[in-house]
Amino acid sequence: MSRIEVREDRCKGCLLCTTVCPVEIIVQSERFNAQGYKVIEVKDMDSCTGCASCARMCPDMCITVYKTAKAAKE
């Protein structure tokens, strides 16, 4: 399981991240940031694979992907 964090103040709503997400969980929100851009949001964080394609594609570096450590087998 992974977590995606979006810096909405930097997002320009270009949607490049949505085109590379293999599980299609990143969508454009109805919210606007202070600059007047519609920001992106993650619609199903539990489905994130942690591939970080969205973060690599973002030209404004507003996406950070945090990968959680897998639980050790007992």
Side-chain angles (χ1 to χ4, degrees):
M1 186 171 154
S2 299
R3 183 172 57 89
I4 298 172
E5 185 177 285
V6 179
R7 294 250 340 248
E8 292 186 1
D9 60 319
R10 298 176 75 170
C11 182
K12 293 182 182 168
C14 68
L15 302 179
L16 290 175
C17 55
T18 65
T19 64
V20 296
C21 180
V23 288
E24 300 178 353
I25 60 169
I26 302 174
V27 295
Q28 189 171 38
S29 171
E30 292 301 315
R31 292 185 321 276
F32 292 90
N33 63 13
Q35 290 81 26
Y37 296 110
K38 278 191 174 181
V39 296
I40 57 126
E41 66 183 7
V42 181
K43 65 180 180 182
D44 183 13
M45 193 71 72
D46 292 335
S47 296
C48 180
T49 62
C51 70
S53 293
C54 54
R56 287 192 300 272
M57 180 59 77
C58 181
D60 299 308
M61 297 184 292
C62 62
I63 301 173
T64 305
V65 178
Y66 295 97
K67 298 180 184 181
T68 56
K70 294 183 180 180
K73 293 183 180 180
E74 294 181 15

Short mmCIF file of all heavy atoms in Angstrom, two decimals:
data_model
loop_
_atom_site.label_atom_id
_atom_site.label_comp_id
_atom_site.label_asym_id
_atom_site.label_seq_id
_atom_site.Cartn_x
_atom_site.Cartn_y
_atom_site.Cartn_z
N MET A 1 0.84 -1.18 0.00
CA MET A 1 0.00 0.00 0.00
C MET A 1 0.89 1.24 0.00
O MET A 1 1.91 1.28 0.65
CB MET A 1 -0.88 -0.02 1.24
CG MET A 1 -1.87 1.08 1.27
SD MET A 1 -3.01 0.81 2.63
CE MET A 1 -3.50 2.45 2.92
N SER A 2 0.48 2.22 -0.75
CA SER A 2 1.23 3.47 -0.87
C SER A 2 0.30 4.64 -0.64
O SER A 2 -0.91 4.51 -0.64
CB SER A 2 1.87 3.56 -2.25
OG SER A 2 2.75 2.49 -2.44
N ARG A 3 0.92 5.80 -0.48
CA ARG A 3 0.15 7.02 -0.25
C ARG A 3 0.68 8.10 -1.19
O ARG A 3 1.89 8.28 -1.33
CB ARG A 3 0.31 7.45 1.20
CG ARG A 3 -0.49 8.67 1.57
CD ARG A 3 -0.45 8.93 3.06
NE ARG A 3 0.91 9.08 3.58
CZ ARG A 3 1.58 10.23 3.65
NH1 ARG A 3 1.02 11.34 3.22
NH2 ARG A 3 2.79 10.27 4.14
N ILE A 4 -0.22 8.82 -1.82
CA ILE A 4 0.14 9.92 -2.72
C ILE A 4 -0.22 11.23 -2.04
O ILE A 4 -1.33 11.41 -1.56
CB ILE A 4 -0.62 9.81 -4.06
CG1 ILE A 4 -0.26 8.52 -4.78
CG2 ILE A 4 -0.32 11.03 -4.95
CD1 ILE A 4 -1.09 8.24 -6.01
N GLU A 5 0.74 12.13 -2.03
CA GLU A 5 0.51 13.46 -1.46
C GLU A 5 0.63 14.48 -2.60
O GLU A 5 1.59 14.44 -3.36
CB GLU A 5 1.54 13.74 -0.39
CG GLU A 5 1.32 15.03 0.34
CD GLU A 5 2.34 15.21 1.45
OE1 GLU A 5 2.20 14.53 2.48
OE2 GLU A 5 3.28 16.00 1.27
N VAL A 6 -0.35 15.37 -2.69
CA VAL A 6 -0.37 16.38 -3.76
C VAL A 6 -0.24 17.76 -3.13
O VAL A 6 -1.01 18.12 -2.25
CB VAL A 6 -1.68 16.31 -4.58
CG1 VAL A 6 -1.69 17.38 -5.65
CG2 VAL A 6 -1.86 14.93 -5.18
N ARG A 7 0.72 18.52 -3.60
CA ARG A 7 0.85 19.93 -3.18
C ARG A 7 -0.07 20.74 -4.07
O ARG A 7 0.29 21.16 -5.17
CB ARG A 7 2.30 20.41 -3.35
CG ARG A 7 3.30 19.74 -2.48
CD ARG A 7 3.90 20.61 -1.39
NE ARG A 7 3.83 22.03 -1.52
CZ ARG A 7 4.88 22.84 -1.71
NH1 ARG A 7 6.09 22.33 -1.83
NH2 ARG A 7 4.72 24.13 -1.75
N GLU A 8 -1.28 20.94 -3.61
CA GLU A 8 -2.29 21.61 -4.42
C GLU A 8 -1.91 23.04 -4.78
O GLU A 8 -2.31 23.54 -5.82
CB GLU A 8 -3.64 21.58 -3.71
CG GLU A 8 -4.22 20.19 -3.64
CD GLU A 8 -5.62 20.16 -3.07
OE1 GLU A 8 -6.18 21.22 -2.74
OE2 GLU A 8 -6.17 19.05 -2.97
N ASP A 9 -1.11 23.69 -3.94
CA ASP A 9 -0.70 25.06 -4.23
C ASP A 9 0.21 25.14 -5.45
O ASP A 9 0.33 26.19 -6.07
CB ASP A 9 -0.01 25.69 -3.01
CG ASP A 9 1.24 24.93 -2.59
OD1 ASP A 9 1.23 23.68 -2.60
OD2 ASP A 9 2.24 25.59 -2.23
N ARG A 10 0.84 24.02 -5.83
CA ARG A 10 1.74 24.01 -6.99
C ARG A 10 1.09 23.40 -8.24
O ARG A 10 1.60 23.56 -9.34
CB ARG A 10 3.00 23.22 -6.66
CG ARG A 10 3.79 23.84 -5.52
CD ARG A 10 4.96 23.01 -5.14
NE ARG A 10 6.01 23.15 -6.15
CZ ARG A 10 7.23 22.70 -6.01
NH1 ARG A 10 7.58 22.06 -4.92
NH2 ARG A 10 8.12 22.88 -6.94
N CYS A 11 -0.02 22.69 -8.07
CA CYS A 11 -0.66 21.97 -9.17
C CYS A 11 -1.30 22.96 -10.16
O CYS A 11 -2.02 23.87 -9.77
CB CYS A 11 -1.72 21.02 -8.61
SG CYS A 11 -2.57 20.04 -9.87
N LYS A 12 -1.03 22.74 -11.45
CA LYS A 12 -1.61 23.58 -12.50
C LYS A 12 -2.69 22.84 -13.28
O LYS A 12 -3.17 23.33 -14.28
CB LYS A 12 -0.52 24.06 -13.45
CG LYS A 12 0.44 25.03 -12.78
CD LYS A 12 1.47 25.51 -13.76
CE LYS A 12 2.45 26.43 -13.05
NZ LYS A 12 3.62 26.71 -13.89
N GLY A 13 -3.03 21.64 -12.82
CA GLY A 13 -4.12 20.90 -13.46
C GLY A 13 -3.82 20.46 -14.87
O GLY A 13 -4.74 20.32 -15.67
N CYS A 14 -2.57 20.18 -15.19
CA CYS A 14 -2.21 19.79 -16.56
C CYS A 14 -2.68 18.37 -16.90
O CYS A 14 -2.78 18.02 -18.07
CB CYS A 14 -0.70 19.90 -16.76
SG CYS A 14 0.26 18.69 -15.81
N LEU A 15 -2.93 17.55 -15.87
CA LEU A 15 -3.45 16.19 -16.00
C LEU A 15 -2.46 15.20 -16.62
O LEU A 15 -2.86 14.10 -17.01
CB LEU A 15 -4.78 16.17 -16.77
CG LEU A 15 -5.90 17.02 -16.17
CD1 LEU A 15 -7.14 16.93 -17.03
CD2 LEU A 15 -6.19 16.62 -14.74
N LEU A 16 -1.20 15.56 -16.72
CA LEU A 16 -0.22 14.61 -17.23
C LEU A 16 -0.13 13.38 -16.32
O LEU A 16 0.05 12.26 -16.79
CB LEU A 16 1.16 15.27 -17.36
CG LEU A 16 1.30 16.30 -18.46
CD1 LEU A 16 2.66 16.97 -18.40
CD2 LEU A 16 1.10 15.64 -19.83
N CYS A 17 -0.28 13.59 -15.04
CA CYS A 17 -0.23 12.47 -14.09
C CYS A 17 -1.36 11.47 -14.33
O CYS A 17 -1.18 10.27 -14.14
CB CYS A 17 -0.28 12.98 -12.65
SG CYS A 17 -1.69 14.05 -12.32
N THR A 18 -2.50 11.96 -14.76
CA THR A 18 -3.64 11.06 -15.00
C THR A 18 -3.40 10.15 -16.18
O THR A 18 -3.92 9.04 -16.22
CB THR A 18 -4.94 11.85 -15.22
OG1 THR A 18 -4.83 12.61 -16.42
CG2 THR A 18 -5.24 12.77 -14.05
N THR A 19 -2.59 10.60 -17.13
CA THR A 19 -2.36 9.80 -18.33
C THR A 19 -1.40 8.64 -18.10
O THR A 19 -1.40 7.68 -18.87
CB THR A 19 -1.81 10.67 -19.49
OG1 THR A 19 -0.53 11.17 -19.12
CG2 THR A 19 -2.74 11.82 -19.80
N VAL A 20 -0.59 8.72 -17.05
CA VAL A 20 0.40 7.66 -16.81
C VAL A 20 0.04 6.74 -15.66
O VAL A 20 0.72 5.74 -15.43
CB VAL A 20 1.81 8.24 -16.58
CG1 VAL A 20 2.31 8.96 -17.81
CG2 VAL A 20 1.85 9.14 -15.36
N CYS A 21 -1.01 7.03 -14.93
CA CYS A 21 -1.40 6.19 -13.80
C CYS A 21 -1.95 4.86 -14.31
O CYS A 21 -2.98 4.83 -14.98
CB CYS A 21 -2.44 6.89 -12.94
SG CYS A 21 -2.96 5.90 -11.52
N PRO A 22 -1.27 3.74 -14.00
CA PRO A 22 -1.70 2.45 -14.54
C PRO A 22 -3.03 1.95 -13.96
O PRO A 22 -3.71 1.15 -14.59
CB PRO A 22 -0.56 1.50 -14.17
CG PRO A 22 0.11 2.13 -13.00
CD PRO A 22 -0.05 3.62 -13.19
N VAL A 23 -3.40 2.44 -12.79
CA VAL A 23 -4.66 2.01 -12.17
C VAL A 23 -5.74 3.09 -12.24
O VAL A 23 -6.83 2.92 -11.70
CB VAL A 23 -4.45 1.53 -10.72
CG1 VAL A 23 -3.73 0.21 -10.70
CG2 VAL A 23 -3.71 2.56 -9.90
N GLU A 24 -5.43 4.19 -12.89
CA GLU A 24 -6.38 5.28 -13.16
C GLU A 24 -7.11 5.78 -11.92
O GLU A 24 -8.32 5.94 -11.91
CB GLU A 24 -7.38 4.85 -14.23
CG GLU A 24 -6.71 4.48 -15.54
CD GLU A 24 -7.67 4.00 -16.61
OE1 GLU A 24 -8.88 3.81 -16.32
OE2 GLU A 24 -7.22 3.81 -17.75
N ILE A 25 -6.32 6.06 -10.87
CA ILE A 25 -6.93 6.55 -9.63
C ILE A 25 -6.76 8.05 -9.43
O ILE A 25 -7.29 8.61 -8.49
CB ILE A 25 -6.37 5.80 -8.40
CG1 ILE A 25 -4.86 5.99 -8.29
CG2 ILE A 25 -6.76 4.34 -8.42
CD1 ILE A 25 -4.27 5.51 -6.98
N ILE A 26 -6.04 8.71 -10.33
CA ILE A 26 -5.84 10.16 -10.23
C ILE A 26 -6.82 10.84 -11.18
O ILE A 26 -6.86 10.53 -12.37
CB ILE A 26 -4.39 10.55 -10.57
CG1 ILE A 26 -3.43 9.83 -9.63
CG2 ILE A 26 -4.20 12.06 -10.48
CD1 ILE A 26 -1.98 10.02 -9.98
N VAL A 27 -7.59 11.77 -10.65
CA VAL A 27 -8.61 12.47 -11.44
C VAL A 27 -8.55 13.96 -11.15
O VAL A 27 -7.97 14.39 -10.16
CB VAL A 27 -10.02 11.93 -11.13
CG1 VAL A 27 -10.16 10.49 -11.56
CG2 VAL A 27 -10.38 12.10 -9.68
N GLN A 28 -9.19 14.73 -12.02
CA GLN A 28 -9.26 16.17 -11.78
C GLN A 28 -10.38 16.45 -10.79
O GLN A 28 -11.49 15.94 -10.90
CB GLN A 28 -9.53 16.92 -13.08
CG GLN A 28 -9.41 18.42 -12.93
CD GLN A 28 -9.47 19.12 -14.26
OE1 GLN A 28 -10.20 18.74 -15.15
NE2 GLN A 28 -8.69 20.16 -14.40
N SER A 29 -10.07 17.25 -9.81
CA SER A 29 -11.02 17.61 -8.76
C SER A 29 -11.89 18.78 -9.21
O SER A 29 -11.58 19.44 -10.20
CB SER A 29 -10.22 18.02 -7.51
OG SER A 29 -11.07 18.56 -6.54
N GLU A 30 -12.92 19.03 -8.49
CA GLU A 30 -13.76 20.21 -8.72
C GLU A 30 -13.24 21.41 -7.93
O GLU A 30 -13.72 22.52 -8.09
CB GLU A 30 -15.21 19.91 -8.36
CG GLU A 30 -15.87 18.91 -9.30
CD GLU A 30 -15.88 19.38 -10.75
OE1 GLU A 30 -16.19 20.55 -11.02
OE2 GLU A 30 -15.56 18.55 -11.62
N ARG A 31 -12.23 21.17 -7.07
CA ARG A 31 -11.65 22.23 -6.25
C ARG A 31 -10.65 23.05 -7.07
O ARG A 31 -9.98 22.53 -7.95
CB ARG A 31 -10.93 21.64 -5.03
CG ARG A 31 -11.82 20.99 -4.03
CD ARG A 31 -11.05 20.55 -2.79
NE ARG A 31 -9.74 19.99 -3.02
CZ ARG A 31 -9.49 18.73 -3.34
NH1 ARG A 31 -10.47 17.87 -3.48
NH2 ARG A 31 -8.26 18.30 -3.50
N PHE A 32 -10.53 24.31 -6.70
CA PHE A 32 -9.55 25.20 -7.32
C PHE A 32 -8.50 25.58 -6.28
O PHE A 32 -8.82 25.72 -5.10
CB PHE A 32 -10.22 26.48 -7.83
CG PHE A 32 -11.15 26.26 -8.98
CD1 PHE A 32 -12.49 25.99 -8.78
CD2 PHE A 32 -10.68 26.34 -10.28
CE1 PHE A 32 -13.35 25.79 -9.84
CE2 PHE A 32 -11.52 26.14 -11.36
CZ PHE A 32 -12.86 25.87 -11.14
N ASN A 33 -7.26 25.77 -6.73
CA ASN A 33 -6.24 26.26 -5.80
C ASN A 33 -6.21 27.79 -5.85
O ASN A 33 -7.02 28.41 -6.54
CB ASN A 33 -4.87 25.64 -6.11
CG ASN A 33 -4.32 26.01 -7.47
OD1 ASN A 33 -4.81 26.90 -8.15
ND2 ASN A 33 -3.28 25.31 -7.90
N ALA A 34 -5.30 28.41 -5.13
CA ALA A 34 -5.24 29.87 -5.03
C ALA A 34 -4.95 30.54 -6.37
O ALA A 34 -5.32 31.69 -6.58
CB ALA A 34 -4.18 30.28 -4.01
N GLN A 35 -4.31 29.81 -7.28
CA GLN A 35 -4.00 30.37 -8.61
C GLN A 35 -5.16 30.20 -9.60
O GLN A 35 -5.08 30.65 -10.73
CB GLN A 35 -2.74 29.71 -9.20
CG GLN A 35 -1.46 30.09 -8.49
CD GLN A 35 -1.25 29.28 -7.23
OE1 GLN A 35 -1.74 28.18 -7.08
NE2 GLN A 35 -0.53 29.86 -6.28
N GLY A 36 -6.22 29.50 -9.18
CA GLY A 36 -7.38 29.33 -10.05
C GLY A 36 -7.37 28.08 -10.89
O GLY A 36 -8.19 27.93 -11.80
N TYR A 37 -6.45 27.15 -10.63
CA TYR A 37 -6.37 25.90 -11.38
C TYR A 37 -7.17 24.82 -10.67
O TYR A 37 -7.16 24.73 -9.44
CB TYR A 37 -4.92 25.42 -11.50
CG TYR A 37 -4.02 26.33 -12.28
CD1 TYR A 37 -3.02 27.06 -11.63
CD2 TYR A 37 -4.13 26.44 -13.65
CE1 TYR A 37 -2.17 27.89 -12.34
CE2 TYR A 37 -3.28 27.26 -14.37
CZ TYR A 37 -2.31 27.99 -13.71
OH TYR A 37 -1.47 28.80 -14.41
N LYS A 38 -7.84 23.97 -11.45
CA LYS A 38 -8.47 22.80 -10.87
C LYS A 38 -7.36 21.80 -10.55
O LYS A 38 -6.57 21.45 -11.42
CB LYS A 38 -9.46 22.16 -11.85
CG LYS A 38 -10.80 22.82 -11.87
CD LYS A 38 -11.78 21.98 -12.66
CE LYS A 38 -13.16 22.56 -12.56
NZ LYS A 38 -14.13 21.74 -13.29
N VAL A 39 -7.32 21.36 -9.34
CA VAL A 39 -6.25 20.47 -8.89
C VAL A 39 -6.65 19.01 -9.12
O VAL A 39 -7.79 18.70 -9.44
CB VAL A 39 -5.92 20.71 -7.41
CG1 VAL A 39 -5.38 22.11 -7.21
CG2 VAL A 39 -7.12 20.47 -6.52
N ILE A 40 -5.68 18.12 -8.92
CA ILE A 40 -5.95 16.69 -9.05
C ILE A 40 -6.21 16.11 -7.67
O ILE A 40 -5.86 16.70 -6.66
CB ILE A 40 -4.79 15.95 -9.74
CG1 ILE A 40 -3.46 16.17 -8.99
CG2 ILE A 40 -4.67 16.36 -11.19
CD1 ILE A 40 -2.79 14.90 -8.62
N GLU A 41 -6.84 14.95 -7.66
CA GLU A 41 -7.06 14.23 -6.41
C GLU A 41 -6.97 12.74 -6.68
O GLU A 41 -7.09 12.29 -7.83
CB GLU A 41 -8.40 14.58 -5.79
CG GLU A 41 -9.60 14.14 -6.58
CD GLU A 41 -10.92 14.57 -5.96
OE1 GLU A 41 -10.91 15.33 -4.97
OE2 GLU A 41 -11.97 14.15 -6.46
N VAL A 42 -6.77 11.99 -5.63
CA VAL A 42 -6.69 10.53 -5.73
C VAL A 42 -8.04 9.98 -5.30
O VAL A 42 -8.48 10.22 -4.18
CB VAL A 42 -5.56 9.97 -4.85
CG1 VAL A 42 -5.47 8.48 -4.97
CG2 VAL A 42 -4.25 10.62 -5.21
N LYS A 43 -8.70 9.24 -6.19
CA LYS A 43 -10.05 8.78 -5.87
C LYS A 43 -10.07 7.48 -5.08
O LYS A 43 -11.07 7.17 -4.45
CB LYS A 43 -10.88 8.64 -7.15
CG LYS A 43 -10.41 7.58 -8.12
CD LYS A 43 -11.30 7.53 -9.34
CE LYS A 43 -10.82 6.46 -10.30
NZ LYS A 43 -11.61 6.41 -11.50
N ASP A 44 -8.98 6.70 -5.10
CA ASP A 44 -8.95 5.44 -4.35
C ASP A 44 -7.52 5.14 -3.91
O ASP A 44 -6.80 4.40 -4.58
CB ASP A 44 -9.51 4.31 -5.21
CG ASP A 44 -9.58 2.99 -4.47
OD1 ASP A 44 -9.44 2.98 -3.24
OD2 ASP A 44 -9.78 1.96 -5.13
N MET A 45 -7.11 5.72 -2.81
CA MET A 45 -5.73 5.59 -2.34
C MET A 45 -5.34 4.13 -2.10
O MET A 45 -4.20 3.74 -2.30
CB MET A 45 -5.53 6.39 -1.05
CG MET A 45 -4.10 6.57 -0.65
SD MET A 45 -3.17 7.69 -1.72
CE MET A 45 -3.88 9.24 -1.25
N ASP A 46 -6.28 3.29 -1.70
CA ASP A 46 -5.99 1.89 -1.43
C ASP A 46 -5.56 1.12 -2.68
O ASP A 46 -4.94 0.07 -2.57
CB ASP A 46 -7.19 1.20 -0.78
CG ASP A 46 -7.48 1.71 0.61
OD1 ASP A 46 -6.54 2.22 1.27
OD2 ASP A 46 -8.63 1.62 1.05
N SER A 47 -5.89 1.63 -3.85
CA SER A 47 -5.53 0.95 -5.10
C SER A 47 -4.18 1.39 -5.65
O SER A 47 -3.72 0.85 -6.66
CB SER A 47 -6.61 1.20 -6.16
OG SER A 47 -7.83 0.63 -5.76
N CYS A 48 -3.54 2.35 -5.01
CA CYS A 48 -2.25 2.85 -5.49
C CYS A 48 -1.20 1.74 -5.40
O CYS A 48 -1.03 1.11 -4.36
CB CYS A 48 -1.80 4.05 -4.66
SG CYS A 48 -0.21 4.73 -5.18
N THR A 49 -0.48 1.53 -6.49
CA THR A 49 0.55 0.49 -6.54
C THR A 49 1.91 1.01 -6.11
O THR A 49 2.84 0.23 -5.95
CB THR A 49 0.68 -0.09 -7.96
OG1 THR A 49 1.08 0.96 -8.84
CG2 THR A 49 -0.62 -0.70 -8.43
N GLY A 50 2.05 2.32 -5.97
CA GLY A 50 3.32 2.90 -5.56
C GLY A 50 4.34 3.01 -6.68
O GLY A 50 5.53 3.17 -6.43
N CYS A 51 3.90 2.95 -7.92
CA CYS A 51 4.82 2.99 -9.06
C CYS A 51 5.51 4.35 -9.21
O CYS A 51 6.57 4.45 -9.81
CB CYS A 51 4.11 2.61 -10.34
SG CYS A 51 2.91 3.83 -10.94
N ALA A 52 4.88 5.40 -8.71
CA ALA A 52 5.40 6.78 -8.75
C ALA A 52 5.51 7.36 -10.16
O ALA A 52 6.21 8.34 -10.37
CB ALA A 52 6.73 6.89 -8.02
N SER A 53 4.80 6.79 -11.10
CA SER A 53 4.79 7.34 -12.46
C SER A 53 4.22 8.76 -12.46
O SER A 53 4.69 9.63 -13.19
CB SER A 53 3.95 6.47 -13.39
OG SER A 53 4.55 5.22 -13.57
N CYS A 54 3.24 8.98 -11.63
CA CYS A 54 2.62 10.31 -11.56
C CYS A 54 3.62 11.36 -11.09
O CYS A 54 3.70 12.44 -11.66
CB CYS A 54 1.41 10.28 -10.63
SG CYS A 54 1.73 9.64 -8.97
N ALA A 55 4.41 11.01 -10.09
CA ALA A 55 5.40 11.95 -9.56
C ALA A 55 6.50 12.24 -10.58
O ALA A 55 6.96 13.38 -10.69
CB ALA A 55 6.01 11.40 -8.27
N ARG A 56 6.91 11.22 -11.31
CA ARG A 56 7.96 11.43 -12.33
C ARG A 56 7.44 12.27 -13.50
O ARG A 56 8.21 13.01 -14.11
CB ARG A 56 8.48 10.09 -12.83
CG ARG A 56 9.35 9.37 -11.82
CD ARG A 56 10.09 8.19 -12.42
NE ARG A 56 9.21 7.17 -12.97
CZ ARG A 56 8.70 6.16 -12.28
NH1 ARG A 56 8.96 6.03 -11.00
NH2 ARG A 56 7.92 5.28 -12.87
N MET A 57 6.17 12.15 -13.82
CA MET A 57 5.60 12.87 -14.96
C MET A 57 5.27 14.32 -14.63
O MET A 57 5.29 15.18 -15.51
CB MET A 57 4.33 12.15 -15.44
CG MET A 57 3.66 12.81 -16.62
SD MET A 57 4.70 12.94 -18.10
CE MET A 57 4.63 11.28 -18.70
N CYS A 58 5.03 14.64 -13.38
CA CYS A 58 4.59 15.97 -12.99
C CYS A 58 5.67 17.02 -13.26
O CYS A 58 6.74 16.98 -12.66
CB CYS A 58 4.21 15.99 -11.51
SG CYS A 58 3.61 17.61 -10.97
N PRO A 59 5.39 18.00 -14.14
CA PRO A 59 6.39 19.02 -14.46
C PRO A 59 6.59 20.04 -13.33
O PRO A 59 7.60 20.74 -13.31
CB PRO A 59 5.82 19.70 -15.70
CG PRO A 59 4.35 19.50 -15.61
CD PRO A 59 4.16 18.17 -14.92
N ASP A 60 5.66 20.10 -12.39
CA ASP A 60 5.74 21.07 -11.31
C ASP A 60 6.15 20.46 -9.98
O ASP A 60 6.12 21.13 -8.96
CB ASP A 60 4.40 21.79 -11.17
CG ASP A 60 4.04 22.54 -12.43
OD1 ASP A 60 4.89 23.32 -12.92
OD2 ASP A 60 2.93 22.33 -12.95
N MET A 61 6.49 19.19 -10.00
CA MET A 61 6.96 18.46 -8.82
C MET A 61 6.01 18.64 -7.63
O MET A 61 6.45 18.94 -6.52
CB MET A 61 8.39 18.86 -8.46
CG MET A 61 9.37 18.50 -9.54
SD MET A 61 11.08 18.86 -9.13
CE MET A 61 11.07 20.63 -9.09
N CYS A 62 4.73 18.48 -7.87
CA CYS A 62 3.78 18.66 -6.78
C CYS A 62 3.24 17.34 -6.25
O CYS A 62 2.40 17.34 -5.35
CB CYS A 62 2.63 19.58 -7.22
SG CYS A 62 1.64 18.99 -8.57
N ILE A 63 3.74 16.21 -6.76
CA ILE A 63 3.27 14.91 -6.31
C ILE A 63 4.42 14.16 -5.64
O ILE A 63 5.52 14.08 -6.17
CB ILE A 63 2.73 14.06 -7.47
CG1 ILE A 63 1.58 14.79 -8.16
CG2 ILE A 63 2.31 12.68 -7.00
CD1 ILE A 63 1.08 14.12 -9.42
N THR A 64 4.13 13.61 -4.46
CA THR A 64 5.08 12.77 -3.76
C THR A 64 4.39 11.45 -3.45
O THR A 64 3.25 11.44 -3.00
CB THR A 64 5.54 13.42 -2.43
OG1 THR A 64 6.05 14.72 -2.71
CG2 THR A 64 6.61 12.58 -1.76
N VAL A 65 5.08 10.35 -3.73
CA VAL A 65 4.53 9.03 -3.45
C VAL A 65 5.32 8.41 -2.31
O VAL A 65 6.55 8.32 -2.37
CB VAL A 65 4.59 8.11 -4.69
CG1 VAL A 65 4.06 6.72 -4.37
CG2 VAL A 65 3.81 8.73 -5.84
N TYR A 66 4.60 8.02 -1.27
CA TYR A 66 5.21 7.37 -0.12
C TYR A 66 4.85 5.89 -0.16
O TYR A 66 3.67 5.54 -0.21
CB TYR A 66 4.69 7.98 1.18
CG TYR A 66 5.09 9.42 1.35
CD1 TYR A 66 4.20 10.44 1.02
CD2 TYR A 66 6.34 9.76 1.83
CE1 TYR A 66 4.56 11.77 1.17
CE2 TYR A 66 6.71 11.10 1.97
CZ TYR A 66 5.81 12.09 1.64
OH TYR A 66 6.18 13.40 1.78
N LYS A 67 5.86 5.05 -0.16
CA LYS A 67 5.64 3.62 -0.15
C LYS A 67 5.74 3.11 1.27
O LYS A 67 6.69 3.44 1.98
CB LYS A 67 6.67 2.91 -1.03
CG LYS A 67 6.58 3.32 -2.49
CD LYS A 67 7.60 2.62 -3.31
CE LYS A 67 7.54 3.14 -4.75
NZ LYS A 67 8.51 2.47 -5.61
N THR A 68 4.78 2.30 1.67
CA THR A 68 4.81 1.76 3.02
C THR A 68 5.57 0.45 3.01
O THR A 68 5.54 -0.30 2.04
CB THR A 68 3.38 1.54 3.56
OG1 THR A 68 2.68 0.69 2.63
CG2 THR A 68 2.64 2.84 3.69
N ALA A 69 6.25 0.18 4.10
CA ALA A 69 7.01 -1.05 4.20
C ALA A 69 6.06 -2.22 4.35
O ALA A 69 5.04 -2.15 5.01
CB ALA A 69 7.93 -0.98 5.42
N LYS A 70 6.40 -3.34 3.70
CA LYS A 70 5.58 -4.54 3.81
C LYS A 70 5.80 -5.17 5.17
O LYS A 70 6.91 -5.15 5.70
CB LYS A 70 5.95 -5.54 2.71
CG LYS A 70 5.60 -5.05 1.32
CD LYS A 70 5.92 -6.10 0.30
CE LYS A 70 5.57 -5.59 -1.10
NZ LYS A 70 5.85 -6.58 -2.12
N ALA A 71 4.75 -5.70 5.71
CA ALA A 71 4.84 -6.35 7.02
C ALA A 71 5.68 -7.61 6.91
O ALA A 71 5.57 -8.37 5.95
CB ALA A 71 3.45 -6.67 7.54
N ALA A 72 6.52 -7.84 7.89
CA ALA A 72 7.37 -9.03 7.88
C ALA A 72 6.51 -10.26 8.15
O ALA A 72 5.57 -10.24 8.94
CB ALA A 72 8.44 -8.89 8.97
N LYS A 73 6.85 -11.34 7.46
CA LYS A 73 6.13 -12.60 7.67
C LYS A 73 6.51 -13.17 9.02
O LYS A 73 7.65 -13.15 9.43
CB LYS A 73 6.45 -13.59 6.57
CG LYS A 73 5.93 -13.18 5.22
CD LYS A 73 6.21 -14.23 4.19
CE LYS A 73 5.68 -13.82 2.82
NZ LYS A 73 5.93 -14.83 1.81
N GLU A 74 5.50 -13.70 9.69
CA GLU A 74 5.75 -14.26 11.02
C GLU A 74 6.07 -15.73 10.93
O GLU A 74 5.69 -16.44 10.13
CB GLU A 74 4.53 -14.04 11.91
CG GLU A 74 4.32 -12.57 12.17
CD GLU A 74 3.13 -12.32 13.08
OE1 GLU A 74 2.65 -13.26 13.73
OE2 GLU A 74 2.68 -11.19 13.12
#
